Amino acid sequence: MRLVYAILFLLALIGAVFGLAVITQPDPVELWTPLEGPLEASHIGETHAAEVADYERGSESRLAVLLTDEGSNWLGLAHGLKTIGVPFVITRETDRALRHDVVLVYPVISGRNTDQETLRTLARFPQNGGTLIATNVLGGGLAPVFGFEGVTESRSHTHLTFDDDYTITADFQALGQKTIKIGSETQLATNPGTNAYLSPRQRPVAVYEDGSAAIVRRDYEEGTAYALGIDLGQLLLKGYNFKEADVAETYVNRYQPTLDTLLRLVAAIYREGEPDGVTLGTVPDGKKLSVMMTHDIDYRKSVRNAVKYAEMEALNGVRSTYFVQTKYIEDFNDQSFLDEEGVGYILKLEELGAEIASHSVSHSLQFNAFALGTGREVLPSYRPFVRDLEATTEASIMGELRISKFILESLISEPVTSFRPGYLRIPTQLPEALQWAGYSYSSSVTANKSLTHFPFRLMAGRQFDTNTDIFEFPITIEDELPPLLGERLEEAKTIADKLAAYGATMVVLSHPDILGHKFEFAEGFIDHVKPYSWIGTVSDFGDWWAARDAIGVDVDDAGGVRSVKLNCPTPIEGLTLEVPESFGVPGPLSGGKLIRAESGTWLVDCIDKVMRIELAKTTGMPGN
């Protein structure tokens, strides 16, 4: 992004030196046809404050999160578990939690926040065959249960290194996840507090950079106890809320699976400890990688070139998303380009199967500092004007969202549900503003700054306690930072292969301002990932992901028949269930279809609100 700013500054300087007119007054609105609207106001203020009760329901086959402090970052933990596909319940009741085989105590265990009877009960749990995971074990006499002798607290820890001799971490080395960064070396005050466990009885699962134990494990005859020295919920929200400080090793274009690694660890512990552990796959149709090719149209020549990209993508049998700036006023940035010629190109994009999404109206560097607005902004009176690099007038967040959506939906046949801001400038209230304006999906941050290559649900105000209905699809590769995009194809392929190894998501951002090396990159990248990837639009993947996020997964004995039960509020196709190999051949089912069954994975369509798959008594898998 710094390169973009430098170029824009240089253009402004040239204009000043040569007396080029810096436009000081907005020109008239220039559209292919006069438009007035939208007629309905946006209802500002409608967000859902999350409560523990929202997450209490589920069978004993789920992971139980025993919450010791409702004022903690538990909602970030819930979002992370949803992302990685681990079914869970959250409860404040110890007896309820300990009916499950795997229990995660969060955010802390100490003698001050946990009564003695609860501490004794927790101590017996792994000794009686359960799997006990706890974050921040600070007291209460439970150190021997987890196999350590003492604990020290610090904000100076910056990295975790995993011991890949354990089954749950066996593939971390191969996936580049053996060492992950969790804190800043230079901004210690911004680091999450960590705990180091002293004199561990067994080899630590993970150590900090100074060699002290970050995650310890104690094995019993049947059960296992794990103590985590990091607040996973807090770290998740640092990434999800775009609040990491010097944890991202680069802004974009690199592989940094910090949160992915930690979520995969929890999922592996759950599957190891729960005989009936069924988790949800992360990629549609049983593929290995979810890919979204996206293009930002914020320049007049880009509209024409975009058709060439869409034609190539259509020939390859894939659809992509075009984020279109709805520019209708000539200003410092560019001329308007929603005239009849520009509209013709956009209609051609839709005809070729592309998703048309919003890229704002003004494409302003100041978007992150805009006022929220009223939710009543309309054409033709909404006239945002970019005066120069430092000033945009008569603009608001809601105006940018409402008007761009209205213009595009006046032009195309499909609703506009996806948004990306210019320059990836992110206002604090963007998540809830998107919801109020009628969007569903955002692709506004980079995967590196989010510390994850998975999608996630956004939270109102980028805080810790209020959900929105908006899902974020972070960007892995962009085209503006050096070297040239065409010179980075092999590196992008390598990243894609790593992400495919654990079912992650890869969003590529490219500006179709030129053909050449950018076009060749798109062709070469699609050719490489197509054999093992689901490739589609942000809205198509978003619809699938939102349906998946709402699914409840249980294994129960209803009616005396043992079965996997899926609660699917929205029908979903191509959903992978990762099941214990002991489940064998799927038995009779209702409420959906079994597409394919392999050892450890079933691919299903969940058609009704409840789908049941009986567990057959035989073993061995059918041929495919």
Side-chain angles (χ1 to χ4, degrees), residues 23-46:
I23 301 172
T24 58
Q25 295 296 328
D27 284 343
V29 172
E30 297 180 0
L31 288 167
W32 76 99
T33 188
L35 291 176
E36 295 184 5
L39 299 179
E40 294 185 4
S42 299
H43 300 290
I44 291 178
E46 297 178 356

Side-chain angles (χ1 to χ4, degrees), residues 519-540:
F519 189 90
E520 292 167 2
F521 174 93
E523 275 191 311
F525 184 76
I526 290 172
D527 181 66
H528 178 77
V529 300
K530 188 177 177 181
Y532 60 77
S533 299
W534 179 96
I535 309 176
T537 68
V538 172
S539 64
D540 282 348

Side-chain angles (χ1 to χ4, degrees), residues 274-290:
E274 174 50 68
D276 290 334
V278 177
T279 56
L280 299 177
T282 52
V283 184
D285 299 334
K287 298 288 188 176
K288 294 182 178 180
L289 178 69
S290 301

Side-chain angles (χ1 to χ4, degrees), residues 300-359:
R300 187 173 183 85
K301 288 185 179 179
S302 296
V303 187
R304 182 185 310 113
N305 289 341
V307 173
K308 298 293 186 183
Y309 285 84
E311 288 173 340
M312 176 271 292
E313 289 157 350
L315 285 174
N316 278 279
V318 301
R319 301 175 64 223
S320 64
T321 297
Y322 288 78
F323 289 95
V324 180
Q325 180 190 0
T326 55
K327 184 170 182 56
Y328 53 78
I329 291 177
E330 183 176 350
D331 59 15
F332 174 81
N333 278 346
D334 198 1
Q335 298 175 324
S336 60
F337 45 77
L338 282 181
D339 53 17
E340 289 188 6
E341 179 185 17
V343 164
Y345 290 129
I346 293 171
L347 291 174
K348 183 63 175 177
L349 291 176
E350 185 184 34
E351 179 185 326
L352 288 166
E355 175 193 11
I356 306 300
S358 169
H359 198 36

Side-chain angles (χ1 to χ4, degrees), residues 53-299:
D54 299 334
Y55 300 90
E56 285 182 335
R57 292 180 295 277
S59 74
E60 294 171 14
S61 63
R62 298 189 182 201
L63 168 71
V65 177
L66 177 58
L67 190 62
T68 60
D69 181 3
E70 288 195 36
S72 65
N73 296 294
W74 65 268
L75 190 55
L77 178 62
H79 287 185
L81 292 172
K82 284 276 191 179
T83 286
I84 204 64
V86 172
F88 64 96
V89 299
I90 301 179
T91 180
R92 296 298 307 272
E93 300 175 5
T94 304
D95 290 344
R96 163 74 194 282
L98 296 184
R99 293 200 296 267
H100 296 244
D101 289 315
V102 185
V103 176
L104 169 58
V105 185
Y106 181 85
V108 64
I109 292 179
S110 75
R112 288 176 294 181
N113 77 337
T114 312
D115 63 77
Q116 289 300 311
E117 180 56 33
T118 297
L119 291 171
R120 286 191 291 269
T121 304
L122 291 175
R124 291 192 295 269
F125 184 68
Q127 300 175 54
N128 292 334
T131 297
L132 180 64
I133 315 165
T135 59
N136 303 317
V137 181
L138 302 182
L142 292 191
V145 175
F146 294 93
F148 64 90
E149 295 183 2
V151 61
T152 59
E153 300 180 51
S154 173
R155 285 189 178 273
S156 64
H157 292 134
T158 61
H159 290 77
L160 291 181
T161 296
F162 293 90
D163 184 335
D164 51 11
D165 283 339
Y166 284 108
T167 303
I168 56 175
T169 55
D171 64 356
F172 281 18
Q173 173 77 44
L175 297 183
Q177 297 177 352
K178 184 176 178 66
T179 297
I180 59 173
K181 189 176 181 184
I182 61 168
S184 168
E185 294 94 337
T186 59
Q187 303 178 49
L188 299 185
T190 67
N191 285 347
T194 58
N195 296 296
Y197 299 114
L198 307 178
S199 303
R201 181 170 176 162
Q202 294 180 204
R203 295 188 332 274
V205 176
V207 297
Y208 299 113
E209 68 281 358
D210 60 7
S212 59
I215 302 174
V216 297
R217 165 175 170 159
R218 182 176 179 186
D219 292 317
Y220 292 88
E221 185 174 347
E222 296 290 338
T224 312
Y226 294 89
L228 281 59
I230 58 173
D231 186 329
L232 181 55
Q234 182 186 33
L235 190 58
L236 284 161
L237 288 185
K238 275 187 171 289
Y240 292 172
N241 285 334
F242 203 60
K243 291 183 177 180
E244 66 80 32
D246 194 36
V247 180
E249 296 171 300
T250 58
Y251 176 70
V252 72
N253 297 330
R254 294 293 184 271
Y255 172 71
Q256 186 173 358
T258 295
L259 299 181
D260 305 358
T261 304
L262 293 169
L263 290 173
R264 292 187 69 239
L265 177 70
V266 173
I269 294 173
Y270 166 70
R271 285 191 290 262
E272 181 184 66
E274 174 50 68
D276 290 334
V278 177
T279 56
L280 299 177
T282 52
V283 184
D285 299 334
K287 298 288 188 176
K288 294 182 178 180
L289 178 69
S290 301
V291 172
M292 283 156 274
M293 303 295 294
T294 69
H295 308 273
D296 289 2
I297 298 177
D298 47 36
Y299 173 54

Side-chain angles (χ1 to χ4, degrees), residues 46 48 431 435 439-441 457-458 467-471 546:
E46 297 178 356
H48 171 61
Q435 181 168 310
Y439 292 85
S440 299
Y441 312 118
R457 184 187 290 271
L458 291 175
N467 283 321
T468 71
D469 295 330
I470 307 299
F471 289 93

